[in-house]
Amino acid sequence: MSIGSRLYGIALALSLCLPVMAHAAEATKTPPTPLSAYELYRIYGDKTWTWGTGGGRFFDEGRRFVAWTNDKGKQSFAEGKWVVDDLGQLCMRATWTNAEGAARASTCFGHRKIGNTIYQRRQPDGNWYVFRHSSVRQDDEFGKLVSTDTVSAKAYELKQLLLNQVIARKGG
């Protein structure tokens, strides 16, 4: 094999690899961009985010938020609102109630995308993780958002139970 044909072979191999390498380099240089309020609304609106210890429902009507948890036998429910903005932020602003009382809390998550991959983190200083891969995977957090309301009935039941406990303590 002559030096000319070896050089041609190397040149051909490089010409085939360079576009792929350039694309990979470009992808790593692409800064993450915040999701718009509209994009977040489309992801969360009228969905239930199921958690290992309960879940939260994002009602479209009135942007109402309802949730419940049972963390190590300590049950609580929340009622409030959810808001989104064009900085890629989703916030749940609610009053959480348990057997010990009630307290207001605001929990926010930031969302950024690179290409079709969405990243999420708890604000203000959580770690970024893949929320939804460009080709959705079974273990994506995005998959925990479901259309069925699996929260409202449980939250209402818990609310009634806690109210009855307060009434019983007051002797009424």
Side-chain angles (χ1 to χ4, degrees):
M1 181 180 280
S2 73
I3 288 212
S5 36
R6 282 187 197 161
L7 289 176
Y8 176 76
I10 291 170
L12 178 62
L14 281 175
S15 70
L16 293 174
C17 292
L18 283 177
V20 173
M21 293 166 52
H23 178 69
E26 184 179 320
T28 59
K29 289 181 185 177
T30 304
T33 57
L35 270 67
S36 69
Y38 177 75
E39 289 171 307
L40 289 170
Y41 170 79
R42 300 265 306 157
I43 290 171
Y44 291 95
D46 271 338
K47 297 278 185 354
T48 299
W49 192 356
T50 58
W51 310 321
T53 59
R57 179 71 181 176
F58 301 88
F59 288 95
D60 182 32
E61 187 176 329
R63 295 283 176 96
R64 208 165 49 90
F65 176 73
V66 175
W68 75 273
T69 65
N70 184 354
D71 190 19
K72 299 175 186 159
K74 187 176 182 180
Q75 297 186 84
S76 57
F77 72 93
E79 295 176 308
K81 301 278 185 188
W82 63 284
V83 295
V84 293
D85 64 28
D86 285 328
L87 299 175
Q89 190 162 260
L90 159 77
C91 292
M92 298 157 279
R93 298 181 179 139
T95 300
W96 284 88
T97 305
N98 63 27
E100 298 164 5
R104 292 195 46 76
S106 182
T107 304
C108 299
F109 288 87
H111 298 79
R112 302 284 182 274
K113 64 182 172 181
I114 298 175
N116 290 325
T117 300
I118 299 174
Y119 297 85
Q120 180 187 66
R121 77 170 181 166
R122 185 162 180 170
Q123 300 287 49
D125 55 8
N127 294 322
W128 288 103
Y129 55 89
V130 175
F131 176 71
R132 188 190 77 198
H133 288 86
S134 57
S135 296
V136 180
R137 297 182 186 172
Q138 187 175 355
D139 63 340
D140 283 351
E141 190 67 23
F142 174 80
K144 296 178 182 178
L145 290 165
V146 297
S147 296
T148 307
D149 181 358
T150 60
V151 170
S152 294
K154 182 66 180 174
Y156 179 77
E157 176 185 311
L158 187 53
K159 182 177 183 176
Q160 296 308 309
L161 175 71
L162 292 173
L163 284 174
N164 289 338
Q165 288 175 358
V166 168
I167 291 168
R169 278 196 303 261
K170 291 183 177 182

